[in-house]
Amino acid sequence: MQLSSIKNLSFNKINFNTRKNNYVKLAPLAYDSVSFQGKPQIKTNSDNVRKANNLGKRTLEQLQSGKTKQETLALLLEECPELSVKSIDELQKTEGTSYYAFFTHKISKDFAPVDSVLYLNLSEAKGNEHSDYFYASDLAHEYTHALQTLNGDNMVQIRDMSLNDKKMAELIGGFGGSIFSYFDNAAQTQAILKNLSGYDKSQILKYGHVVPRKQDVDEKTFLKNLGYKNFGDYAKYVNNLFDKCFDLACAQVETSSAENVLPELKELYLTLKAQGRIEELRPIVKKYCIMQAQGEKEAYTTEAEFARRYCTTKSSINLDNFVMYYSLLEKALER
């Protein structure tokens, strides 16, 4: 198992609950394969899911009627005027990332969200027959994350985890963001690829997105394909992996330079270590990762529900694999 990806620590730029639309990629990965599947437990009554789906629906309708992306942004800003919207090109230039959409924000001293930005692909070029749907779906996904932050729920959790200490919150966010990135990228990619058909994979190569279509999702079959006898085996694996990631992050903080970890956060970590309190940090960081998994589960629920509408079906679809991945990850970390 290779965990060197955690070398890119998140302690130097703390953007709490930074969210990305990070679709599965087919590049080879040097990680153990993990994959999860099951009947999605979709929160169809979630207010965030409802609002985000409604925005996606209205945006898609306007795009299909001939309006430009820039013109449809009026819908978003009408719903959420406190959001800033920028082209994803700006993020790619400054961060070197390659996302379709991205939500980020910071928190103030009193634990309120500030500098909330939604980066979107604002190019008007129509790359394929699904371009309008993909854009509206990306928007709905990221708007779900924006709502999770702006409604204050995530801020309350972060404040409680840190006992209202801003620096402690930044330390928790640095650890949690770095560790969760493994589950959110390498592990998620392997999990989803194991559950998609060859046809679906060819569609990803063609479009860069998962094209929605009907697919039966069954947890038992999914786990069997991965070599897991039951959920308990999977939960054990996840928690062992979390502990390894946490220990690795600790070691890297201690040897890091100011370029990777803010000096004041490293000082706080070393103070906790001197006091023999690092083990107190482990369960708090795990709570942060659980919060992240819950947020992704809800955002992918939005996406799956939006895709069902696009496919004009009420049946299970391939995008439900994302929902179940984060649902099982959440439950495993809670053990």
Side-chain angles (χ1 to χ4, degrees):
M1 181 183 298
Q2 180 180 339
L3 299 178
S4 59
S5 64
I6 304 175
K7 66 185 178 182
N8 298 316
L9 294 169
S10 305
F11 294 75
N12 57 338
K13 296 181 180 179
I14 305 296
N15 293 317
F16 285 93
N17 302 317
T18 297
R19 304 296 191 174
K20 61 190 178 303
N21 194 308
N22 183 29
Y23 283 96
V24 75
K25 299 177 177 62
L26 292 182
L29 293 169
Y31 300 100
D32 290 347
S33 295
V34 184
S35 183
F36 324 101
Q37 188 177 23
K39 189 61 65 177
Q41 299 175 358
I42 295 170
K43 295 168 59 178
T44 54
N45 63 336
S46 164
D47 199 39
N48 291 340
V49 172
R50 181 186 61 79
K51 288 180 179 179
N53 257 300
N54 183 57
L55 176 64
K57 174 179 177 291
R58 294 167 65 200
T59 298
L60 181 57
E61 288 173 348
Q62 288 201 357
L63 289 172
Q64 291 176 333
S65 71
K67 288 195 174 183
T68 65
K69 291 178 181 177
Q70 287 287 347
E71 289 172 331
T72 66
L73 288 180
L75 296 174
L76 170 62
L77 297 178
E78 178 184 307
E79 291 284 333
C80 199
E82 61 266 50
L83 263 180
S84 294
V85 179
K86 297 182 180 181
S87 170
I88 197 68
D89 293 339
E90 293 186 36
L91 189 67
Q92 291 171 350
K93 289 177 182 177
T94 58
E95 302 291 338
T97 57
S98 56
Y99 301 119
Y100 294 109
F102 202 103
F103 170 69
T104 185
H105 75 283
K106 299 178 182 178
I107 64 172
S108 66
K109 292 182 179 179
D110 59 353
F111 288 86
V114 294
D115 299 332
S116 299
V117 182
L118 189 56
Y119 292 91
L120 297 168
N121 178 7
L122 298 177
S123 170
E124 299 295 348
K126 302 281 188 182
N128 57 71
E129 68 272 28
H130 300 296
S131 290
D132 290 343
Y133 159 73
F134 290 145
Y135 173 80
S137 177
D138 293 344
L139 172 61
H141 180 117
E142 295 307 313
Y143 187 51
T144 307
H145 288 313
L147 291 171
Q148 290 164 355
T149 295
L150 298 175
N151 67 15
D153 289 346
N154 286 351
M155 295 297 97
V156 169
Q157 291 187 66
I158 293 171
R159 184 192 64 203
D160 291 346
M161 288 177 205
S162 63
L163 300 178
N164 209 30
D165 184 325
K166 178 70 160 30
K167 287 301 176 187
M168 181 62 75
E170 290 177 343
L171 185 66
I172 293 167
F175 266 98
S178 297
I179 293 170
F180 189 76
S181 67
Y182 180 88
F183 292 102
D184 199 35
N185 291 294
Q188 184 240 54
T189 297
Q190 293 286 9
I192 300 305
L193 289 178
K194 291 289 184 178
N195 285 287
L196 294 178
S197 67
Y199 176 79
D200 284 333
K201 293 174 186 177
S202 71
Q203 295 297 283
I204 296 172
L205 288 172
K206 181 177 180 180
Y207 297 109
H209 288 73
V210 175
V211 179
R213 69 184 187 89
K214 291 182 181 180
Q215 177 189 340
D216 290 332
V217 181
D218 176 76
E219 179 179 319
K220 183 177 180 180
T221 302
F222 195 103
L223 293 173
K224 182 179 178 181
N225 290 341
L226 292 167
Y228 292 107
K229 295 180 180 179
N230 50 50
F231 173 74
D233 286 349
Y234 163 60
K236 182 178 179 180
Y237 169 81
V238 167
N239 283 284
N240 286 340
L241 179 56
F242 171 85
D243 285 336
K244 290 180 180 179
C245 289
F246 182 85
D247 293 340
L248 177 59
C250 286
Q252 292 178 344
V253 168
E254 293 183 25
T255 59
S256 65
S257 65
E259 186 176 300
N260 292 322
V261 180
L262 292 170
E264 59 266 32
L265 295 186
K266 182 173 182 177
E267 181 181 355
L268 175 56
Y269 170 84
L270 293 175
T271 298
L272 291 173
K273 183 180 179 182
Q275 295 172 346
R277 297 177 57 197
I278 294 302
E279 282 307 307
E280 294 178 20
L281 191 61
R282 190 186 299 263
I284 299 172
V285 171
K286 183 175 283 191
K287 285 183 180 179
Y288 186 91
C289 290
I290 290 170
M291 183 184 72
Q292 296 285 79
Q294 291 169 338
E296 289 300 336
K297 179 181 69 174
E298 186 173 64
Y300 277 108
T301 295
T302 294
E303 205 171 324
E305 288 296 287
F306 187 70
R308 256 183 278 281
R309 179 180 291 169
Y310 184 68
C311 294
T312 62
T313 182
K314 294 183 179 180
S315 301
S316 176
I317 60 173
N318 49 13
L319 285 167
D320 287 323
N321 288 303
F322 289 92
V323 180
M324 204 60 232
Y325 168 71
Y326 288 106
S327 178
L328 289 175
L329 179 59
E330 173 196 354
K331 290 191 293 183
L333 290 171
E334 286 178 338
R335 281 204 168 190

